[in-house]
């Protein structure tokens, strides 16, 4: 009796399920998202057990799995919250406890909202004056290179825009199916979206020995191999990188642009960590800026989308779901299709659009809130920089753990050497060896990380991703515990 | 050669709405008005969206006070905000950190965090309690509820699981005609096929089960129908389904092995004699085996009703009788979306748990919601009266929802003129209405209608005086139009 055959019960026809593993969209079965995957579900369960009074070797679970700064104690930028509060409850515009620059911005945002309310739908592409502000921000950031507000699409976090572009681009059947190039290791939103869309994922490997650098020869290798079984059309790059944190050099960015042009690829530049750069000698170069500086041969032809968000950098406002993408050199007919596609989800959250507006339009030096804004922003970025160095140093003192410098972003992705016995045990249990490692760490120390297998890694290597977000003192404790665990683990499986 | 000359055929197949033409014209007209160009009107009345705030309805004070306090907790110092506002905000902020409760419990609990995948657990719990209360005690399990970025987002996710683009036959979804445009677009965008079933206009836009049978028959061999989508109360047509009709639909879904998608976002907007009852409740009351087997997803939102908080993007889906193995994959799918916007989740919490009698904010809350309610009831009455009094215009009773969807009996000359202009006749009518009277409504062609019939849709969740102005302009225009094309 299979699940789809009708069954007679007491003379009434009933039925097995309509929506079963067999009948459901097979692409959805291939979707995984390690950042919130099985290890996190176990962590939540353990937290529940702790609350119920179950005795454990630890009193709390430290969730260093997700890039959520506020959950780790980082404070929001006061000015931003003031403006959002004013937008939500405009009666407060009469309250003299709020600074004038906050009120000015709130009024401007409300004027752009239907019925002067953030509760009204906005245009699907996003509120016009905010798109204009985003364009101005981009121009300022990129040394004056013009940005057209019509090419800006506000979105529900950067993820929404990334998935939308992929939805637009993925087409074809069989050997003509769109291939999308993505780095290994990668942020698993990409692999999830590609699985969901039934696109072909083309992996290009970052070089761990060269600080996770990207080499064009590797891009070429991956592309040529892929051409046998799909039609490569898109190249995705995350800079600064996630999980690896590398900040690409200008030369590398130029190489990638040249490669994309030669191979006629659409470039997707995920730049959500653009303010998170810590290492000396590293600098964020926007793909757009480099593109234009390479001259009209490239800047007038390469088709590209770049993405940014309110979830990272110094704001950490993940819960607002604010973001945008800027598209370049897009065929007007295709742009019309894109505009049609985004209209289906109605509009991005207006509060997220407002938050984004503040990120691109923060207090200016002559405004009352500037000093406190700058202080808060500097403190957050300085703390992250300190923690990035601390983490790298600490992990490199542990035999069996090697850690590349955390040049940027919010994570460390150290490589762990696992004893053969542990690898064998994991394989017996049908588990990735680094999952076994991370699960044990969770059970023994209450620390939740994400195994490297969730991001992709070179065959035979193992990693984990840990955020550098916990407050410094806490982070030191976490690092120590991981060190102790690693030594124990190595001993246990020797 | 452009990379982008080839794009997803699913996206290309998505219908381009007539509305987009009207939106472009509106933009131009608004710009002209700003430049001081003289027109027969001073401003455009935009009633093309089901957006109360855009139309001039004020947000509820309690809701906005709680949001502000959550955003900027310093506001809770002192007595400025009512005590129940402060208590609620504190409770919500405690819930924000609850998901990842850490040893540094004195840290800023912040709206800025991602939440758990299905939504902040405390809010999900309260939503499930609301559902249970609403349904006369039918149990609701928080594990079956996913908060999301608006109900449309959730619907698209569930459709994503149902529509199998790799199957030999395209997946079909039975969808009402008329139906508001986003749902059919979502289906097409996923590579699915819309199978329209026509609501019966003469019978007050009633859903007739014979029509469901016909629609299903019509697609034999062309696609594999997997789901039946209903909107109750309706959009654009404002019908509220009777219990009997809902039972027929449930039996039909069971017999024909269809997954039932019940879009109930307008459940808070009911004005006529028929009361709203949820599909989940009706299903439960029909007892086993149906109550244990019919697979159902029901959708609700903070965008409609008295709250009207469309821009906050708060919605949810509740799943009933789903295969647990499939639910696991649905969960993972929602995981990759990160989490729904926290303000939208808070809006849902406030919608499902408003101030109660005795609470300090209750009186004001009651006054504000009653005002909105009585305004809409007045609006519905007036709109139907005015329209039905005009030649060539008729409107079925609006029992619920946010819109009036009157029928325009267009003269042959007008239809001809529209054809010459390369437009749908009702789009032509709407364009003229926009240009000459400054009213932006949407044409029936965007929603599906019986061949040869024409309609327009406009929002009735407006301040009464705005509706008055709208109806004045509409009747003057309509009378002139009918004269011009007689």
């Amino acid at each position: 009796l299979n699940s789809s055959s009708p069954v007679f019960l007491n003379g009434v026809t009933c039925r097995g399920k309509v929506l079963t593993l067999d009948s459901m969209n097979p692409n959805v079965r291939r979707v995984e998202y390690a950042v919130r995957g099985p290890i996190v579900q176990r962590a939540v369960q353990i937290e529940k057990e702790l609350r119920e009074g179950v005795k454990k070797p630890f009193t709390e679970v430290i969730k260093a799995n997700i890039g959520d700064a506020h959950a780790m104690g980082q404070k929001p930028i006061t000015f931003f919250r003031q403006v959002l509060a004013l937008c939500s409850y405009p009666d407060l515009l009469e309250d003299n406890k709020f600074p004038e620059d906050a009120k000015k911005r709130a009024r401007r945002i409300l004027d752009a909202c239907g019925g002067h309310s953030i509760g009204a739908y906005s245009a699907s592409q996003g509120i016009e004056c905010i798109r204009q502000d985003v364009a101005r921000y981009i121009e300022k950031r990129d040394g004056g290179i013009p940005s057209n507000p019509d090419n800006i699409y506000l979105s529900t976090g950067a993820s929404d825009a990334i998935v939308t572009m992929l939805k637009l681009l993925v087409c074809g059947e069989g050997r003509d199916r769109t291939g999308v190039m993505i780095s290994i290791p990668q942020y698993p939103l990409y692999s999830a979206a590609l699985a969901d869309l039934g696109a072909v994922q083309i992996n290009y490997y970052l070089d761990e020995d060269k600080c996770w650098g990207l080499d064009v020869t590797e891009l070429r290798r991956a592309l040529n191999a892929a051409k046998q079984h799909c039609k490569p059309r898109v190249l995705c790059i995350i800079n600064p990188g996630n999980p690896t944190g590398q900040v690409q050099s200008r030369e590398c960015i130029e190489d990638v642009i040249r490669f994309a042009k030669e191979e006629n690829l659409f470039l997707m530049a995920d730049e959500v960590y653009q303010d998170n750069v810590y290492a000396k000698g590293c600098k964020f170069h926007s793909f757009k800026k480099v593109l234009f500086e390479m001259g009209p041969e490239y800047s007038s032809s390469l088709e590209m989308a770049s993405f940014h968000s309110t979830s990272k950098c110094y704001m950490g406002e993940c819960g607002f779901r604010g973001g945008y993408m800027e598209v370049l050199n897009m065929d007007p007919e295709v742009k019309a299709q894109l505009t049609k596609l985004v209209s289906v989800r109605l509009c991005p959250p207006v509060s997220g659009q407002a938050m984004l507006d503040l990120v691109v339009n923060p207090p200016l030096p002559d405004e009352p809130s500037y000093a406190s804004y700058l202080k808060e922003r500097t403190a957050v970025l300085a703390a992250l920089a300190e923690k990035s160095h601390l983490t790298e140093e600490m992990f490199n003192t542990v035999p069996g753990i090697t850690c590349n410098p955390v040049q940027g972003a919010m994570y460390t992705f150290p490589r762990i050497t696992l004893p053969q016995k542990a690898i064998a045990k994991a394989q017996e249990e049908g588990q990735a060896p680094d999952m076994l490692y991370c699960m044990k760490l969770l059970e023994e120390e209450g620390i939740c990380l994400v195994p490297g297998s969730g991001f992709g890694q070179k065959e035979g290597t193992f990693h984990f991703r840990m955020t550098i977000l916990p407050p410094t003192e806490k982070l030191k404790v976490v690092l120590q515990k991981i060190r102790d665990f690693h030594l124990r683990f190595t001993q246990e499986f020797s | 050669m452009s990379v982008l000359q080839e794009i997803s055929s699913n996206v290309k197949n998505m219908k381009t709405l007539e509305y987009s033409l009207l939106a472009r014209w509106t933009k131009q007209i608004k710009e002209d008005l700003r430049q001081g160009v003289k027109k027969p009107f001073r401003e455009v009345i935009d009633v093309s969206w089901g957006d109360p705030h855009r139309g001039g309805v004020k947000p509820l004070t309690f809701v906005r006070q709680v949001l502000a306090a959550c955003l900027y907790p310093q506001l809770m110092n002192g007595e400025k905000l009512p005590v129940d506002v402060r208590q609620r905000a504190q409770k919500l902020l405690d819930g924000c950190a609850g998901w990842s409760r850490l040893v540094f419990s004195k840290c800023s609990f912040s709206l800025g965090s991602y939440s758990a995948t299905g939504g902040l657990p405390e809010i999900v719990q309260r939503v499930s309690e609301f559902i249970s209360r609403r349904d006369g005690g039918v149990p609701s399990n928080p594990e079956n509820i996913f908060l999301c970025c608006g109900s449309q987002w959730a619907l698209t996710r569930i459709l994503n699981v149902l529509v199998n683009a790799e199957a030999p036959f395209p997946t079909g979804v039975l969808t009402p005609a008329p139906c508001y445009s986003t749902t059919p677009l979502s289906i097409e965008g996923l590579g699915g096929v819309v199978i329209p079933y026509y609501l019966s206009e003469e019978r007050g836009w009633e859903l007739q089960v014979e029509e469901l049978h016909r629609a299903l028959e019509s697609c034999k061999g062309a696609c594999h129908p997997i789901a039946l989508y209903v909107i109750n109360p309706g959009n654009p047509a404002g019908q509220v389904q009777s219990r009997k009709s809902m039972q027929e639909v449930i039996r039909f879904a069971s017999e024909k092995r269809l997954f039932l998608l019940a879009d109930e976002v307008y459940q808070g907007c009911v004005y006529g004699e028929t009361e709203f009852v949820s599909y989940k409740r009706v299903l439960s009351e029909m007892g086993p085996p149906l109550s244990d087997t019919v697979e159902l997803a029901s959708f609700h939102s903070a965008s409609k009703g008295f709250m009207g908080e469309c821009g906050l993007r708060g919605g949810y889906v509740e799943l009933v009788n789903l295969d647990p193995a499939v639910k696991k994959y649905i969960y993972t799918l929602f995981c990759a979306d990160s989490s729904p916007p926290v303000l939208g989740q808070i809006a849902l919490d406030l919608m499902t748990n408003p101030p109660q009698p005795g609470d300090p904010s209750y009186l004001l809350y009651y006054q504000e919601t009653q005002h909105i309610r009585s305004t809409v009831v007045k609006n519905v009455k007036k709109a139907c009266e005015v329209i039905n009094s005009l030649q060539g215009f008729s409107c079925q009773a609006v029992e619920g929802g946010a819109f009036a969807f009157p029928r325009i009996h267009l003269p042959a000359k007008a239809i001809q003129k529209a054809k010459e202009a390369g437009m749908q006749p009702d789009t032509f009518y709407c364009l003229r209405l926009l240009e000459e009277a400054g009213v932006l409504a949407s044409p029936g062609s965007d929603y599906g209608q019986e061949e040869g019939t024409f309609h327009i849709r406009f929002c009735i969740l407006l301040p009464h005086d705005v509706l008055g102005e709208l109806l004045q302009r509409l009747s003057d225009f309509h009378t002139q139009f009918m004269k011009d094309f007689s």
Side-chain angles (χ1 to χ4, degrees):
Chain A
L1 191 80
N2 71 32
S3 64
S4 55
S5 59
V7 171
F8 278 97
L9 200 69
N10 301 330
V12 179
T13 316
C14 61
R15 57 169 194 182
K17 303 282 182 198
V18 172
L19 185 59
T20 61
L21 293 182
D22 292 327
S23 66
M24 71 181 272
N25 180 355
N27 287 339
V28 172
R29 290 178 63 175
R30 296 182 205 120
V31 172
E32 290 174 340
Y33 186 68
V35 177
R36 287 175 178 246
I39 196 160
V40 180
Q41 286 161 39
R42 176 67 190 137
V44 170
Q45 213 178 357
I46 291 176
E47 282 183 322
K48 191 158 175 268
E49 290 169 15
L50 282 171
R51 269 198 302 274
E52 290 165 0
V54 176
K55 277 259 166 289
K56 298 219 177 262
F58 46 85
T59 50
E60 84 279 353
V61 176
I62 298 177
K63 293 250 200 52
N65 58 296
I66 189 165
D68 186 341
H70 291 202
M72 290 284 149
Q74 180 177 308
K75 304 232 172 306
I77 301 290
T78 307
F79 181 76
F80 293 176
R81 292 307 188 85
Q82 287 174 332
V83 177
L84 261 298
L86 289 164
C87 287
S88 300
Y89 186 47
D91 280 19
L92 294 171
L93 289 165
E94 311 301 315
D95 188 334
N96 57 18
K97 282 204 219 75
F98 287 88
E100 258 322 299
D101 47 2
K103 291 185 181 179
K104 188 163 154 225
R105 276 173 183 69
R107 285 194 190 99
R108 183 159 174 277
I109 291 168
L110 288 173
D111 280 348
C113 292
H116 286 256
S117 165
I118 58 168
Y121 288 118
S122 77
S124 304
Q125 201 173 334
I127 292 173
E128 187 164 356
C129 75
I130 297 180
R131 288 189 286 112
Q132 287 166 355
D133 289 349
V134 169
R136 261 194 293 274
Y137 160 83
I138 294 172
E139 281 177 0
K140 198 163 162 201
R141 181 197 68 189
D142 294 344
I145 294 163
S147 173
N148 183 348
D150 282 343
N151 289 335
I152 310 281
Y153 287 76
L154 305 190
S155 54
T156 306
S159 304
D160 171 31
I162 291 166
V163 171
T164 297
M165 274 316 301
L166 289 172
K167 238 185 169 157
L168 187 69
L169 292 169
V170 172
C171 61
E173 308 283 327
R175 285 195 56 182
D176 282 339
R177 192 73 180 154
T178 300
V180 177
M181 300 185 74
I182 182 65
S183 57
I184 295 298
Q186 50 106 28
Y187 170 53
L189 167 74
Y190 289 89
S191 47
L194 296 175
D196 190 15
L197 292 167
V200 177
Q201 181 173 329
I202 304 170
N203 296 332
Y204 63 87
Y205 288 80
L206 301 177
D207 192 341
E208 185 159 17
D209 297 331
K210 297 216 174 93
C211 209
W212 298 113
L214 170 52
D215 199 315
V216 170
T217 49
E218 168 55 18
L219 285 178
R220 215 174 290 284
R221 178 211 62 78
L223 183 76
N224 289 334
K227 276 180 178 163
Q228 316 291 323
H229 59 267
C230 71
K231 202 161 176 199
R233 299 178 63 232
V234 187
L235 168 55
C236 298
I237 181 159
I238 312 173
N239 182 50
N242 176 3
T244 48
Q246 85 285 6
V247 177
Q248 298 297 356
S249 68
R250 203 210 160 81
E251 294 72 46
C252 175
I253 294 175
E254 286 180 5
D255 286 346
V256 171
I257 289 172
R258 254 179 237 115
F259 177 78
K261 179 165 193 300
E262 271 164 30
E263 301 291 345
N264 208 27
L265 299 170
F266 185 88
L267 192 51
M268 286 177 56
D270 182 341
E271 299 176 324
V272 302
Y273 295 100
Q274 55 191 262
D275 291 337
N276 299 110
V277 176
Y278 319 119
K280 269 202 173 64
C282 284
K283 188 166 177 248
F284 170 73
H285 302 278
S286 82
F287 265 84
K288 187 179 175 203
K289 178 162 196 246
V290 176
L291 177 70
F292 272 76
E293 288 172 354
M294 286 169 77
E297 184 200 341
Y298 292 94
S299 59
S300 59
S301 63
L302 186 72
E303 290 154 86
M304 182 173 107
S306 38
F307 305 89
H308 194 21
S309 154
T310 63
S311 302
K312 312 295 177 190
C313 294
Y314 63 91
M315 326 51 101
E317 296 282 16
C318 315
F320 282 82
R321 316 309 293 119
Y324 75 77
M325 73 171 157
E326 181 184 27
V327 300
L328 279 181
N329 295 323
M330 193 178 262
D331 180 312
E333 279 179 25
V334 173
K335 196 145 172 288
Q337 296 289 330
L338 172 61
T339 306
K340 182 177 74 175
L341 184 56
V342 301
S343 71
V344 177
R345 56 109 174 85
L346 297 168
C347 73
V350 175
S351 46
Q353 297 185 47
M355 179 58 74
L356 181 67
D357 192 51
L358 300 171
V359 169
V360 300
N361 194 15
L364 295 169
D366 59 347
E367 289 183 295
S369 302
Y370 180 71
S372 61
Y373 155 78
L374 189 65
K375 186 161 173 240
E376 290 172 357
R377 178 195 156 127
T378 308
V380 167
L381 291 173
L384 286 170
E386 184 195 10
K387 289 185 283 190
S388 74
H389 300 313
L390 171 71
T391 303
E392 180 202 339
E393 270 166 31
M394 176 54 134
F395 275 142
N396 280 323
T397 66
V398 185
I401 300 185
T402 46
C403 185
N404 268 320
V406 177
Q407 294 177 339
M410 288 178 175
Y411 316 95
T412 178
F413 195 66
R415 180 161 167 190
I416 43 176
T417 311
L418 298 179
Q420 194 46 48
K421 268 195 183 169
I423 297 172
K425 175 155 198 257
Q427 277 163 357
E428 253 170 50
E429 296 177 359
Q431 235 185 15
D434 44 25
M435 175 62 97
L436 178 107
Y437 178 94
C438 290
M439 277 294 197
K440 214 159 189 297
L441 176 64
L442 176 62
E443 301 286 347
E444 289 178 19
E445 299 287 353
I447 297 170
C448 182
L449 310 176
V450 189
S453 43
F455 302 88
Q457 54 203 348
K458 240 195 181 132
E459 187 77 35
T461 66
F462 309 106
H463 303 78
F464 59 76
R465 187 188 84 164
M466 185 187 89
T467 71
I468 56 161
L469 298 173
T472 309
E473 287 318 303
K474 193 73 194 167
L475 182 65
K476 285 182 183 159
V477 172
V478 169
L479 292 169
Q480 244 157 6
K481 290 198 173 180
I482 295 176
R483 175 178 63 191
D484 295 344
F485 167 82
H486 187 85
L487 296 172
R488 262 195 338 262
F489 185 92
T490 309
Q491 183 83 328
E492 192 182 322
F493 286 95
S494 62
Chain B
M1 180 187 119
S2 168
V3 178
L4 290 177
Q5 283 185 7
E6 298 155 49
I7 59 164
S8 162
S9 52
N10 289 343
V11 174
K12 281 198 280 210
N13 289 341
M14 289 164 67
K15 207 175 100 158
T16 301
L17 297 177
E18 299 288 298
Y19 176 76
S20 52
L21 168 68
L22 293 162
R24 278 199 302 276
W25 275 90
T26 305
K27 197 169 176 207
Q28 187 57 54
I29 289 173
K30 282 189 173 161
E31 187 53 39
D32 289 348
L33 286 169
R34 249 196 305 273
Q35 307 277 5
V37 175
K38 278 256 167 289
K39 294 213 180 274
F41 46 85
R42 283 234 295 270
E43 77 288 323
V44 173
I45 300 180
D46 182 353
V47 279
S48 59
W49 293 63
D51 188 341
H53 293 195
R54 182 188 282 217
V57 174
K58 298 267 161 280
L60 299 175
T61 305
F62 179 75
V63 172
R64 292 313 186 80
Q65 286 175 331
V66 172
L67 287 176
C70 288
L71 284 160
Y72 190 57
Q74 283 89 319
L75 285 171
M76 294 196 279
N77 302 334
E79 309 278 301
K80 259 228 172 113
L81 293 172
V83 72
D84 53 351
V85 167
R86 286 180 269 140
Q87 279 169 351
R88 183 72 71 99
Q90 192 58 61
K91 198 169 170 198
L92 286 162
L93 287 172
D94 289 350
C96 285
W99 172 64
S100 59
R101 191 149 315 268
L102 305 162
V103 72
F104 18 86
S105 52
K106 286 250 160 58
C107 80
S108 64
F109 300 142
S110 169
L111 291 192
S113 282
Y114 291 119
S115 71
T117 294
L120 291 160
E122 285 80 1
I123 297 182
V124 177
Q125 177 63 38
R126 289 198 285 272
V127 168
S128 77
E129 288 163 8
F130 155 81
I131 293 171
S132 197
R133 272 194 314 268
R134 178 199 68 187
D135 294 343
V138 175
S140 172
N141 185 346
E143 280 177 17
N144 290 329
I145 297 171
F146 291 86
L147 308 190
C148 47
C149 191
S151 63
Q152 270 300 298
W153 187 297
L155 176 61
T156 307
R157 276 335 208 163
I158 302 299
L159 285 169
N160 189 9
V161 183
L162 287 164
V163 174
N164 183 349
E166 292 183 10
F169 274 127
T171 309
V173 179
L174 283 155
T175 312
C179 176
Y180 91 114
S181 41
T182 347
T183 301
L185 283 176
S186 295
I187 295 166
E188 286 166 1
L190 289 164
V193 170
V194 171
I195 310 165
Y197 60 88
Y198 289 85
L199 304 178
S200 169
E201 181 162 16
E202 321 78 65
R203 299 182 62 98
W205 298 110
E206 193 184 68
L207 189 166
Q208 298 182 303
V209 83
E210 304 76 44
E211 171 56 15
L212 288 179
H213 281 278
R214 182 214 58 78
L216 205 60
E217 273 303 305
S218 75
C219 71
K220 261 205 168 78
C223 70
H224 168 60
I226 197 161
L228 165 58
Y229 172 79
V230 291
I231 325 173
N232 182 46
N235 175 1
Q239 82 286 8
V240 176
Q241 244 184 322
S242 69
R243 214 189 203 94
K244 177 162 172 287
S245 174
M246 293 167 75
Q247 288 167 347
E248 287 175 342
V249 167
I250 288 169
R251 265 186 226 108
F252 177 82
S254 177
E255 189 191 327
K256 301 295 180 184
R257 295 185 48 69
L258 297 167
F259 189 103
L260 193 48
L261 298 161
D263 189 337
E264 300 176 321
V265 299
Y266 291 103
Q267 58 187 268
C269 307
V270 178
Y271 328 116
E273 287 180 4
T274 319
E275 274 183 17
F276 169 80
V277 61
S278 76
Y279 261 91
K280 185 174 176 219
R281 182 172 187 173
V282 174
L283 177 63
S284 166
E285 289 171 355
M286 288 171 86
L290 290 169
S291 57
D292 295 335
T293 56
V294 173
E295 290 146 83
L296 166 68
S298 38
F299 301 88
H300 194 18
S301 155
S303 300
K304 313 299 170 185
F306 302 121
M307 301 251 311
E309 297 283 6
C310 312
L312 294 185
R313 318 308 299 115
Y316 74 75
V317 57
E318 183 182 24
L319 303 171
V320 179
N321 291 329
L322 260 73
D323 183 332
V326 173
K327 261 199 295 194
K328 277 212 187 79
Y329 287 107
I330 293 178
Y331 177 81
T332 306
L333 205 59
F334 277 94
C335 278
D337 284 343
S338 288
S339 69
V342 179
L343 289 195
Q345 297 188 47
I346 292 176
L348 284 171
D349 188 69
L350 300 174
M351 180 183 80
T352 55
N353 293 274
Q356 293 300 303
D359 292 348
S361 299
Y362 179 72
L363 190 60
L364 181 61
Y365 182 86
Y366 180 78
Q367 281 170 351
E368 289 174 342
T369 51
Q370 279 307 105
H371 173 70
I372 296 171
R373 171 168 253 292
S374 61
T375 301
V376 179
V377 170
K378 269 194 298 187
N379 287 356
V380 162
K381 188 159 180 276
K382 182 146 193 222
C384 288
E385 263 170 26
V386 167
I387 290 171
N388 283 321
S389 74
L390 294 167
Q391 277 277 21
F393 226 166
S394 62
C395 193
Q396 296 295 316
V398 176
E399 296 187 302
F403 306 96
F405 194 62
R407 181 163 166 192
I408 345 164
H409 304 265
L410 287 172
K413 268 198 189 165
I415 297 174
Q416 183 57 33
K417 192 78 198 275
K419 260 208 183 96
E420 285 163 19
M423 267 186 231
Q424 292 296 330
D426 40 25
T427 308
F428 176 70
Y429 181 94
C430 285
L431 196 55
R432 280 290 176 97
L433 177 63
L434 175 64
E435 285 175 328
E436 294 173 21
V439 171
L440 177 59
S442 35
S445 306
D446 277 347
Y447 304 103
Q449 51 201 350
E450 293 272 16
E451 189 75 37
T453 67
F454 308 105
H455 301 78
I456 61 165
R457 185 191 83 162
F458 60 88
C459 180
I460 41 101
L461 291 176
L462 304 169
H464 195 63
D465 58 342
V466 177
L467 183 92
E469 168 76 20
L470 162 71
L471 290 173
Q472 186 63 57
R473 294 192 199 182
L474 181 61
S475 18
D476 290 347
F477 165 81
H478 182 83
T479 312
Q480 190 59 49
F481 185 93
M482 294 309 251
K483 223 190 249 165
D484 290 347
F485 288 96
S486 63

